Amino acid sequence: MPINLHRCAVTGVSEDPLGARVYPAPSRSSRTPFQRDRERIVWARAFRRLAGKTQVFTSRASDHFRSRLTHTIEVAQIARAAAAELGLNEDLSETLALVHDIGHPPFGHAGERALDQCLRRHGRSFDHNLHALRIVEHFEQRYAAHRGLNLTLGVREGIIKHSRDYKVEEHPELAEYLLDQRPPLEAQLIDLADEIAYLTADLDDGVESGLLEVGHICEHVDILARCYKAVQKQHAGVEDKFLFNEALQLMQNILTDDLIATTRQNTLEIGAESLADIRRYPHRLALFSPQVEAERLQEKRYLYDTLYTCEALENEHDKAEEVVTALFDHWINDPEELPPSHFDEVQNEGLARVVADYIAGMTDSFILLQYAEVKRAVRR
């Protein structure tokens, strides 16, 4: 039986500082603090809007392409399985996976890039992790006594630190999130669970779209080629599309198993016996092995060269940037056109940030409706 890392896990009990909330909340004997956070996130309006936000394909020519929501569910599945195998806190890992993309604007990375460029003209910037924290702390309003979802410190720390490290001197406002320490393993897993999910899904959606071809992928992506050859040998005479599906599942399993094994090995090698040992270590411990990391980078480069920057998607990205930029400039020039609830925030947050907040919360379909209305008004 594999050695698990339960001594290094976040406990999740109410007495644990990571289980603490900013505002008092009644305890529930039937649910842990992180289970309650999971439910608060799933019920949040921002979480529901992920169904209408782009993962890769903006035009959504097929109902089968991933949205931010379906991608999030896939990440949660991988993260919980990895945490369970390692003996970590499954509830915290699942909750962080469910909230990890909640701060993304419409139109995927193209929309985020455009929004960041708009804000930089006003001396600001856009970071989807920081925006996610503002969503759960401020924008979501479900409770009579306070704004925000009143999530535990453990979940709020993971929102900030799951995919990157912030320096306290650059972000003094984040000091409570232990920026001088590594995040728990539960949070470290999320970034790579995210990688596993989209590396698998983007090949799938790429072939579904007709922009990628299985044979070409096998020529240039070693891990998929190896998996395809293995399932071809096992399922002789089966249609190519089923072989490809089997190969994707096998690839996902290989990546997940390697993440689990390498994380366990790295943690045991440093002699970690507690969460404090994980936090004090100067580097992250949730990693792929060198061989699998090289294959991951190869596949990522392939997707970038053949899918993310292909002409069809570049046209979609150009349109996305045009829409985001035009609407940002429109509300900057005419802020009274903002909804009253956003206009009232201008004095506290500054106009540029409020406009970015409004745009970031939109789904793809809603922002296109807003763009069409503005264009019609200009023509009148």
Side-chain angles (χ1 to χ4, degrees):
M1 180 177 179
I3 300 170
N4 68 39
L5 307 178
H6 67 273
R7 289 180 298 179
C8 302
V10 176
T11 63
V13 299
S14 299
E15 294 75 22
D16 184 338
L18 292 181
R21 304 182 190 277
V22 174
Y23 304 102
S27 61
R28 294 284 185 272
S29 59
S30 61
R31 289 178 292 166
T32 70
F34 300 138
Q35 287 173 340
R36 296 182 66 196
D37 282 355
R38 178 187 61 202
E39 289 152 18
R40 290 175 184 221
I41 289 161
V42 168
W43 281 81
R45 297 177 72 185
F47 182 80
R48 296 199 296 274
R49 288 198 299 271
L50 293 176
K53 293 193 177 189
T54 290
Q55 180 62 20
V56 172
F57 293 93
T58 305
S59 65
R60 303 297 300 278
S62 169
D63 289 338
H64 299 150
F65 294 152
R66 270 76 172 182
S67 66
R68 282 277 172 200
L69 182 60
T70 55
H71 164 72
T72 292
I73 294 168
E74 291 170 349
V75 176
Q77 176 187 11
I78 294 166
R80 187 170 186 106
E85 186 69 19
L86 288 167
L88 300 174
N89 192 307
E90 299 171 45
D91 294 328
L92 176 57
S93 290
E94 181 182 24
T95 300
L96 290 175
L98 290 171
V99 78
H100 87 282
D101 266 357
I102 207 167
H104 275 286
F107 300 142
H109 291 294
E112 182 170 3
R113 192 164 52 245
L115 203 51
D116 184 59
Q117 290 169 353
C118 289
L119 277 171
R120 288 186 184 278
R121 290 192 264 122
H122 297 267
R124 313 292 284 271
S125 62
F126 186 85
D127 179 313
H128 71 265
N129 288 339
L130 301 182
H131 188 69
L133 186 67
R134 296 176 73 230
I135 288 172
V136 301
E137 289 189 334
H138 185 71
F139 296 133
E140 285 291 327
Q141 298 185 54
R142 296 188 58 82
Y143 301 97
H146 56 77
R147 297 189 70 144
L149 298 178
N150 195 27
L151 302 179
T152 59
L153 175 60
V155 171
R156 287 180 286 121
E157 180 196 6
I159 287 172
I160 290 297
K161 293 163 64 175
H162 72 275
S163 62
R164 59 166 291 188
D165 299 318
Y166 293 85
K167 296 180 179 178
V168 68
E169 58 269 23
E170 295 175 2
H171 293 276
E173 76 281 7
L174 301 177
E176 69 176 295
Y177 299 115
L178 312 172
L179 298 189
D180 59 337
Q181 301 178 33
R182 299 284 74 73
L185 287 173
E186 288 87 348
Q188 293 186 35
L189 286 175
I190 301 307
D191 191 37
L192 298 184
D194 184 22
E195 291 266 335
I196 293 169
Y198 80 68
L199 288 174
T200 306
D202 292 355
L203 287 181
D204 190 19
D205 286 352
V207 170
E208 173 81 15
S209 71
L211 295 174
L212 297 181
E213 194 271 325
V214 175
H216 191 267
I217 297 171
C218 289
E219 289 173 13
H220 295 88
V221 179
D222 292 345
I223 188 170
L224 195 283
R226 193 167 70 251
C227 293
Y228 194 85
K229 189 175 293 185
V231 300
Q232 200 172 30
K233 191 176 297 184
Q234 186 179 359
H235 301 285
V238 174
E239 282 186 62
D240 287 348
K241 66 177 181 180
F242 298 121
L243 293 176
F244 180 58
N245 289 338
E246 292 281 351
L248 287 176
Q249 291 176 49
L250 179 57
M251 184 184 77
Q252 179 175 304
N253 290 339
I254 289 171
L255 291 169
T256 304
D257 290 346
D258 185 83
L259 171 60
I260 292 166
T262 308
T263 301
R264 179 184 287 117
Q265 179 182 341
N266 289 345
T267 306
L268 295 175
E269 282 182 356
I270 69 164
E273 295 186 351
S274 67
L275 173 57
D277 293 333
I278 303 297
R279 287 195 176 282
R280 283 194 296 263
Y281 195 69
H283 308 294
R284 292 182 178 235
L285 296 164
L287 298 168
F288 294 118
S289 66
Q291 178 189 341
V292 170
E293 174 64 9
E295 291 182 324
R296 179 193 73 83
L297 290 173
Q298 181 195 47
E299 181 182 344
K300 196 167 184 175
R301 284 193 296 270
Y302 175 81
L303 283 166
Y304 183 84
D305 292 341
T306 61
L307 183 63
Y308 304 149
T309 59
C310 72
E311 184 177 357
L313 289 189
E314 283 291 276
N315 290 336
E316 291 188 5
H317 297 163
D318 290 344
K319 178 65 175 178
E321 291 178 14
E322 174 191 328
V323 170
V324 169
T325 303
L327 287 177
F328 184 91
D329 291 342
H330 169 72
W331 285 309
I332 286 289
N333 294 327
D334 198 353
E336 293 188 356
E337 289 291 311
L338 288 165
S341 60
H342 284 77
F343 184 74
D344 292 345
E345 294 282 330
V346 170
Q347 189 170 357
N348 295 327
E349 300 289 342
L351 178 58
R353 177 61 66 193
V354 169
V355 171
D357 289 342
Y358 184 40
I359 291 173
M362 296 179 181
T363 60
D364 294 9
S365 58
F366 185 77
I367 196 172
L368 289 172
L369 286 173
Q370 294 297 297
Y371 181 67
E373 286 182 14
V374 168
K375 296 286 279 186
R376 279 197 297 270
V378 169
R379 285 198 293 271
R380 287 199 296 267

PDB file of all heavy atoms in Angstrom, residues 75 92 216 219 223 282 347 353 357:
ATOM      1  N   VAL A  75     -11.083  19.478 -13.874  1.00  0.00           N
ATOM      2  CA  VAL A  75      -9.954  19.735 -12.971  1.00  0.00           C
ATOM      3  C   VAL A  75     -10.273  19.221 -11.568  1.00  0.00           C
ATOM      4  O   VAL A  75      -9.432  18.605 -10.901  1.00  0.00           O
ATOM      5  CB  VAL A  75      -9.615  21.240 -12.926  1.00  0.00           C
ATOM      6  CG1 VAL A  75      -8.509  21.516 -11.906  1.00  0.00           C
ATOM      7  CG2 VAL A  75      -9.185  21.747 -14.299  1.00  0.00           C
ATOM      8  N   LEU A  92     -10.553  20.168   0.451  1.00  0.00           N
ATOM      9  CA  LEU A  92      -9.855  21.414   0.119  1.00  0.00           C
ATOM     10  C   LEU A  92      -9.399  21.399  -1.333  1.00  0.00           C
ATOM     11  O   LEU A  92      -9.574  22.386  -2.053  1.00  0.00           O
ATOM     12  CB  LEU A  92      -8.657  21.616   1.051  1.00  0.00           C
ATOM     13  CG  LEU A  92      -7.783  22.845   0.747  1.00  0.00           C
ATOM     14  CD1 LEU A  92      -8.601  24.128   0.768  1.00  0.00           C
ATOM     15  CD2 LEU A  92      -6.623  22.928   1.732  1.00  0.00           C
ATOM     16  N   HIS A 216      -1.350  13.624 -37.218  1.00  0.00           N
ATOM     17  CA  HIS A 216      -0.387  14.718 -37.065  1.00  0.00           C
ATOM     18  C   HIS A 216       0.004  14.879 -35.589  1.00  0.00           C
ATOM     19  O   HIS A 216       1.178  15.127 -35.270  1.00  0.00           O
ATOM     20  CB  HIS A 216      -0.987  16.024 -37.600  1.00  0.00           C
ATOM     21  CG  HIS A 216       0.000  17.132 -37.718  1.00  0.00           C
ATOM     22  ND1 HIS A 216       0.200  18.060 -36.719  1.00  0.00           N
ATOM     23  CD2 HIS A 216       0.861  17.460 -38.721  1.00  0.00           C
ATOM     24  CE1 HIS A 216       1.129  18.924 -37.101  1.00  0.00           C
ATOM     25  NE2 HIS A 216       1.555  18.579 -38.318  1.00  0.00           N
ATOM     26  N   GLU A 219       2.517  12.282 -34.633  1.00  0.00           N
ATOM     27  CA  GLU A 219       3.844  12.550 -35.189  1.00  0.00           C
ATOM     28  C   GLU A 219       4.637  13.541 -34.339  1.00  0.00           C
ATOM     29  O   GLU A 219       5.880  13.552 -34.389  1.00  0.00           O
ATOM     30  CB  GLU A 219       3.720  13.099 -36.609  1.00  0.00           C
ATOM     31  CG  GLU A 219       3.268  12.074 -37.640  1.00  0.00           C
ATOM     32  CD  GLU A 219       3.011  12.723 -38.998  1.00  0.00           C
ATOM     33  OE1 GLU A 219       3.430  13.895 -39.181  1.00  0.00           O
ATOM     34  OE2 GLU A 219       2.402  12.069 -39.859  1.00  0.00           O
ATOM     35  N   ILE A 223       3.926  11.601 -25.999  1.00  0.00           N
ATOM     36  CA  ILE A 223       3.120  10.899 -24.997  1.00  0.00           C
ATOM     37  C   ILE A 223       1.810  10.396 -25.596  1.00  0.00           C
ATOM     38  O   ILE A 223       1.373   9.282 -25.300  1.00  0.00           O
ATOM     39  CB  ILE A 223       2.864  11.789 -23.750  1.00  0.00           C
ATOM     40  CG1 ILE A 223       2.204  10.960 -22.648  1.00  0.00           C
ATOM     41  CG2 ILE A 223       2.041  13.030 -24.090  1.00  0.00           C
ATOM     42  CD1 ILE A 223       2.126  11.687 -21.297  1.00  0.00           C
ATOM     43  N   PRO A 282      11.761  25.682   0.196  1.00  0.00           N
ATOM     44  CA  PRO A 282      11.868  26.826  -0.719  1.00  0.00           C
ATOM     45  C   PRO A 282      11.222  26.634  -2.088  1.00  0.00           C
ATOM     46  O   PRO A 282      11.055  27.607  -2.838  1.00  0.00           O
ATOM     47  CB  PRO A 282      13.385  27.034  -0.856  1.00  0.00           C
ATOM     48  CG  PRO A 282      13.991  25.712  -0.495  1.00  0.00           C
ATOM     49  CD  PRO A 282      13.081  25.113   0.534  1.00  0.00           C
ATOM     50  N   GLN A 347     -16.007  55.842  -7.044  1.00  0.00           N
ATOM     51  CA  GLN A 347     -15.289  56.680  -6.097  1.00  0.00           C
ATOM     52  C   GLN A 347     -14.326  55.862  -5.234  1.00  0.00           C
ATOM     53  O   GLN A 347     -13.231  56.324  -4.903  1.00  0.00           O
ATOM     54  CB  GLN A 347     -16.269  57.435  -5.199  1.00  0.00           C
ATOM     55  CG  GLN A 347     -15.594  58.495  -4.328  1.00  0.00           C
ATOM     56  CD  GLN A 347     -16.607  59.387  -3.634  1.00  0.00           C
ATOM     57  OE1 GLN A 347     -17.811  59.258  -3.844  1.00  0.00           O
ATOM     58  NE2 GLN A 347     -16.119  60.303  -2.815  1.00  0.00           N
ATOM     59  N   ARG A 353     -10.794  50.404 -12.869  1.00  0.00           N
ATOM     60  CA  ARG A 353     -10.986  49.121 -12.208  1.00  0.00           C
ATOM     61  C   ARG A 353     -12.455  48.703 -12.238  1.00  0.00           C
ATOM     62  O   ARG A 353     -12.768  47.524 -12.461  1.00  0.00           O
ATOM     63  CB  ARG A 353     -10.497  49.196 -10.758  1.00  0.00           C
ATOM     64  CG  ARG A 353     -10.706  47.934  -9.958  1.00  0.00           C
ATOM     65  CD  ARG A 353      -9.956  46.745 -10.539  1.00  0.00           C
ATOM     66  NE  ARG A 353      -8.515  46.926 -10.447  1.00  0.00           N
ATOM     67  CZ  ARG A 353      -7.621  46.188 -11.082  1.00  0.00           C
ATOM     68  NH1 ARG A 353      -8.036  45.224 -11.899  1.00  0.00           N
ATOM     69  NH2 ARG A 353      -6.325  46.420 -10.963  1.00  0.00           N
ATOM     70  N   ASP A 357     -13.934  45.371 -13.852  1.00  0.00           N
ATOM     71  CA  ASP A 357     -14.724  44.437 -13.048  1.00  0.00           C
ATOM     72  C   ASP A 357     -16.036  44.079 -13.751  1.00  0.00           C
ATOM     73  O   ASP A 357     -16.459  42.915 -13.754  1.00  0.00           O
ATOM     74  CB  ASP A 357     -15.048  45.051 -11.683  1.00  0.00           C
ATOM     75  CG  ASP A 357     -13.832  45.149 -10.775  1.00  0.00           C
ATOM     76  OD1 ASP A 357     -12.835  44.463 -11.043  1.00  0.00           O
ATOM     77  OD2 ASP A 357     -13.904  45.927  -9.799  1.00  0.00           O
TER      78      ASP A 357
END
